[in-house]
Amino acid sequence: VGSSGSVRKGIYSNKNVAIKITHETDIHLLRNELTMLTLLNHPHLINVLGGSLISNFIVLRLCEQSLYD
């Protein structure tokens, strides 16, 4: 589960977030990805804040640092 795409920085509910714009054209696969990410809850995983099946994007908590920082 998981589609490829580009990630941009944005604002959602007055918070800085990461917005993953997917290249997925199959709405069922995108729905599965959103569902799986929403069900996961672990301190080492990034939380899903929202998304759109129509516009093919997922809103995620923004990590201010990279793995290299």
Side-chain angles (χ1 to χ4, degrees), residues 7-19 59-60 62:
V7 178
R8 311 267 167 121
K9 186 175 180 179
I11 296 176
Y12 178 78
S13 295
N14 295 322
K15 296 180 183 177
N16 289 329
V17 296
I19 301 171
V59 180
L60 305 157
L62 180 67

Side-chain angles (χ1 to χ4, degrees), residues 19-62:
I19 301 171
K20 177 182 176 185
I21 303 165
T22 71
H23 302 293
E24 186 57 65
T25 56
D26 185 341
I27 194 167
H28 301 293
L29 292 176
L30 183 57
R31 181 184 301 136
N32 287 345
E33 181 176 1
L34 261 172
T35 300
M36 292 299 292
L37 289 172
T38 302
L39 294 174
L40 297 174
N41 185 15
H42 190 276
H44 296 138
L45 297 176
I46 299 200
N47 301 86
V48 172
L49 303 174
S52 171
L53 297 174
I54 296 169
S55 299
N56 291 1
F57 69 85
I58 301 172
V59 180
L60 305 157
R61 184 175 54 95
L62 180 67

